[in-house]
Each structure stands twice: as structure tokens, then as C-alpha cells.
Amino acid sequence: MNEVGIVGYGSHIPKYRIQVEEIAKVWGKEANAIKRGLVVNEKSVPGPDEDTATISVEAARRALARANINPEKIGAIYVGSESHPYAVKPTSGIVGEAICTTPDYTAADLEFACKAGTAGIQMCMGLVGSGMIEYGLAVGSDTAQGAPGDALEYTAAAGGAAYIIGNKKSEILAKFNGTYSFTTDTPDFWRREHEHYPKHGGRFTGEPAYFKHVLNAAKGMFEKMGTTPADYDYCVFHQPNGKFYINAAKKLGFNQEQWKYGLLTPYLGNTYSGAVPLGLSNILDHAEAGDRIFAVSYGSGAGSDAFDITVTDNIAGAAEKAVTTETLLAHKKYIDYAVYMKYREKIRM
């Protein structure tokens, strides 16, 4: 495959937040215990006029601002999510229309729990690398669901990031050195058609699910590239909560300086398909030429995609061309549980 890389990236996070204390108060739980156990303080909440499509459009527009390319040259758009606004009507088509890519491109909505966004990146890598298209756009975005009173309610959040993949050396901000995936049939988390909220296997979501796949994908990537954690400046992992993320990083041999920019969960929550794409966007906002990045996503069901990425000289000034992920994190408005229930349409007759 020819050299391919990221030529543009962008993120979006809704401004509304709800704190762990507010949720715990309603359900009679100990907030501090939950915060310590999950390493989560608050989470983002989509407004009544926000969904996966609007988040994806905002992120894609910011990716275009950094790429500075003609959107009509994008030959493929993939939106990965487990909360597409329509059961039958593609989010990817909405994004393409909104950023003026239509009509000469292929598009599809992807689902693989929380790793559908990175699956889209891999698909764009293949299409661009083979010469079938000039640019591809991959988005990971979600407005995650959690049943009232369920443990997921403390983390299920909203947000997303978009990546434009290209192969022109003069445009690549960060090049892909390689990718590796690890996939099994592991039923740790699921949601049937017509069900409002997902079900999960509780503690089963840890060792046999998240850790098995993330660690094996990481080890497979190390073996493929002939590297160790010491070869990387930064890392990012899927983050259903902060505890899992930090434990995975430590088990693999990464330190806090390497993982700090990728860890957003404590003040964002779990954005599902948007988790690794958002963490990676924050790393790129801070990265310098020559920095090497290690990224591993995870999607329940279950699978992980790993990436080895090197930042190029073109990264200089890129972060300033659109709003940064840290700026979006800092721009927030707190809401109470009643407003949260209203915005998330959890009050049902």
C-alpha cells in the first residue's frame, strides 16, 4: 500500500455537562465512590437539537478547515456510530450533503459498537492507498445511551471526531505506519432492535472483553512494527471509563506522559465511537513533527483496531486552523438531572 495519512482532522463536543454528583444524588448512590471507581467526574450531554449527524457535520467541517481541500475531491464518507439518528437513512449522506461533497462519492454508515469510527479510518486507508479515491472521510460519533439508574448513565456521553485521509506527502499531517485488528465473538454488550437502552455483562466487560482485545491488538501491533512502548511519544486507548484506560496503558508499559493527552473520559465521559478519534484529535492538537503515536480502539462484540502513526512537519500550525478539542472541553454548561432527562428523551409515556 502507498503511504497514506491524516490530512485533516476535527472534533465536536456538545457544551452541556452533567456531573456524577447530580446523577448519584437522584439514585441514592455515593458519588465519590463512583468517581474513584470509574475515574469519571462528569460527562457531555447532547442538546435537544444535537444528534450523531449534527456532531459528525461539525467535526467534518473542522477537518476540512485543517485539510484545506476541495470537499468534492472526497471519494468516500464513512460514519461509524451506534446511535445513528435513523434506522433506515444514512448519516453519511447527510454529512456529504452538508460539506458539499455530493454526488460523486461512495458512502456508508458503519456499526461495530465503539470501534466503528476506527473501522472507517481503515477503510479509507485502503481506498486511498490503492488509488481508488483521492481522499476519504471517516467519522466516529455517538450520542451514547444508558438506562436510568444503570452504571452506564454515569459515563454514556456524546461527541465525535472526523479524519480526512489522503496520500499527498505535502498534505499529510500524520502518516500511518501500520494497522492491526483483533476480533472475536464476545457478547459483552448489546442492544436489540427497538430497545432504547443497551444491556451489558457487568464485570464480564473487563478482562474477557475490553482487556483481552485491547491488549492483544496492541501486542499484535508491536510485533508487526517491531516496536515497544518506549518507541512512542503518545498513546490513546478506548475509554469506557478512565480506570480501564489507565490500567490498559500501565499493563502495556506506557506512562502518564504518554497517555495524558489521549485520556478525556474524566471530563467528557465515554463517547463510544468517538472515544479514540477524540483522544487522538487532542494528541494531534499538542503533537510536534516526529512524534509517534500508538492508538487502540475497542468495540464490544468484540474487536480492537490498532494504529502506529508518525506526525510530520506539516503539523505545524494545523491545530490553529479550527477549534481545538481542549477548547471544546472547556466550553461547557452544567445541567441538572431533570433537564438531562428531558434532553435525552428519557421521560416516556
Side-chain angles (χ1 to χ4, degrees), residues 56-57 60 64 71-72 74 76-77 79 90-103 105-107 137:
S56 298
V57 168
L64 275 171
E72 293 181 358
I74 294 173
I77 296 178
V79 179
T91 307
S92 50
I94 297 172
V95 174
E97 191 76 37
I99 65 172
C100 301
T101 298
T102 51
Y105 70 105
T106 184
L137 171 64

Side-chain angles (χ1 to χ4, degrees), residues 30-79:
E30 175 54 50
N32 287 333
I34 293 168
K35 290 165 72 173
R36 286 194 304 269
L38 297 176
V39 192
V40 174
N41 299 298
E42 61 193 47
K43 69 171 188 174
S44 61
V45 180
D49 60 346
E50 292 181 297
D51 59 19
T52 292
T54 64
I55 291 170
S56 298
V57 168
E58 290 295 330
R61 285 173 172 164
R62 288 164 185 157
L64 275 171
R66 289 195 173 100
N68 195 28
I69 64 168
N70 183 345
E72 293 181 358
K73 291 185 176 182
I74 294 173
I77 296 178
Y78 298 113
V79 179

Side-chain angles (χ1 to χ4, degrees):
M1 185 177 72
N2 296 323
E3 182 176 295
V4 297
I6 298 163
V7 301
Y9 69 95
S11 58
H12 183 69
I13 299 168
K15 72 175 181 180
Y16 297 107
R17 304 283 190 278
I18 186 168
Q19 295 178 309
V20 165
E21 287 86 350
E22 181 66 23
I23 301 172
K25 178 178 66 177
V26 171
W27 297 104
K29 303 295 183 180
E30 175 54 50
N32 287 333
I34 293 168
K35 290 165 72 173
R36 286 194 304 269
L38 297 176
V39 192
V40 174
N41 299 298
E42 61 193 47
K43 69 171 188 174
S44 61
V45 180
D49 60 346
E50 292 181 297
D51 59 19
T52 292
T54 64
I55 291 170
S56 298
V57 168
E58 290 295 330
R61 285 173 172 164
R62 288 164 185 157
L64 275 171
R66 289 195 173 100
N68 195 28
I69 64 168
N70 183 345
E72 293 181 358
K73 291 185 176 182
I74 294 173
I77 296 178
Y78 298 113
V79 179
S81 179
E82 59 179 81
S83 53
H84 290 286
Y86 296 96
V88 180
K89 186 183 186 304
T91 307
S92 50
I94 297 172
V95 174
E97 191 76 37
I99 65 172
C100 301
T101 298
T102 51
D104 298 324
Y105 70 105
T106 184
D109 287 1
L110 307 178
E111 290 186 7
F112 196 130
C114 299
K115 85 167 189 73
T118 56
I121 290 174
Q122 288 178 322
M123 293 167 71
C124 288
M125 288 170 64
L127 288 170
V128 172
S130 67
M132 289 182 65
I133 62 174
E134 190 171 357
Y135 300 100
L137 171 64
V139 185
S141 174
D142 257 308
T143 55
Q145 313 95 350
D150 187 86
L152 289 176
E153 194 170 36
Y154 295 98
T155 57
Y163 289 84
I164 298 174
I165 310 302
N167 61 7
K168 292 183 175 64
K169 193 172 182 179
S170 62
E171 297 176 344
I172 293 176
L173 307 177
K175 68 176 182 178
F176 292 108
N177 303 313
T179 185
Y180 174 87
S181 295
F182 184 92
T183 310
T184 72
D185 179 14
T186 303
D188 59 316
F189 180 101
W190 63 94
R191 178 168 61 86
R192 290 275 190 180
E193 185 75 17
H194 306 304
E195 290 183 347
H196 294 297
Y197 306 112
K199 295 181 175 66
H200 56 87
R203 293 184 180 276
F204 184 75
T205 62
E207 292 298 337
Y210 176 89
F211 290 105
K212 175 181 177 180
H213 294 78
V214 169
L215 298 184
N216 277 291
K219 291 171 184 175
M221 190 80 264
F222 289 146
E223 184 176 342
K224 182 176 180 178
M225 303 306 298
T227 56
T228 69
D231 294 309
Y232 299 93
D233 298 280
Y234 300 110
C235 63
V236 59
F237 303 95
H238 180 56
Q239 39 206 293
N241 52 65
K243 183 178 181 180
F244 277 21
Y245 178 106
I246 293 171
N247 284 349
K250 286 182 176 179
K251 286 183 177 185
L252 289 167
F254 289 99
N255 60 52
Q256 188 171 359
E257 284 302 304
Q258 292 169 298
W259 80 56
K260 66 179 182 181
Y261 288 133
L263 179 59
L264 305 180
T265 303
Y267 296 97
L268 175 61
N270 179 13
T271 53
Y272 287 37
S273 295
V276 165
L278 274 168
L280 178 58
S281 73
N282 194 43
I283 291 173
L284 291 174
D285 283 343
H286 292 87
E288 297 179 351
D291 285 344
R292 198 166 181 180
I293 304 167
F294 191 80
V296 185
S297 65
Y298 172 74
S300 293
S304 285
D305 301 325
F307 300 86
D308 183 314
I309 304 166
T310 299
V311 179
T312 74
D313 292 339
N314 299 322
I315 198 70
E320 302 164 8
K321 294 180 180 178
V323 63
T324 64
T325 300
E326 276 192 354
T327 300
L328 290 167
L329 272 175
H331 179 62
K332 55 189 174 182
K333 179 180 180 180
Y334 289 109
I335 57 175
D336 61 25
Y337 194 81
V339 174
Y340 162 73
M341 290 284 281
K342 176 184 176 182
Y343 284 1
R344 297 303 287 129
E345 298 181 351
K346 291 188 177 188
I347 305 171
R348 302 181 184 277
M349 300 298 290

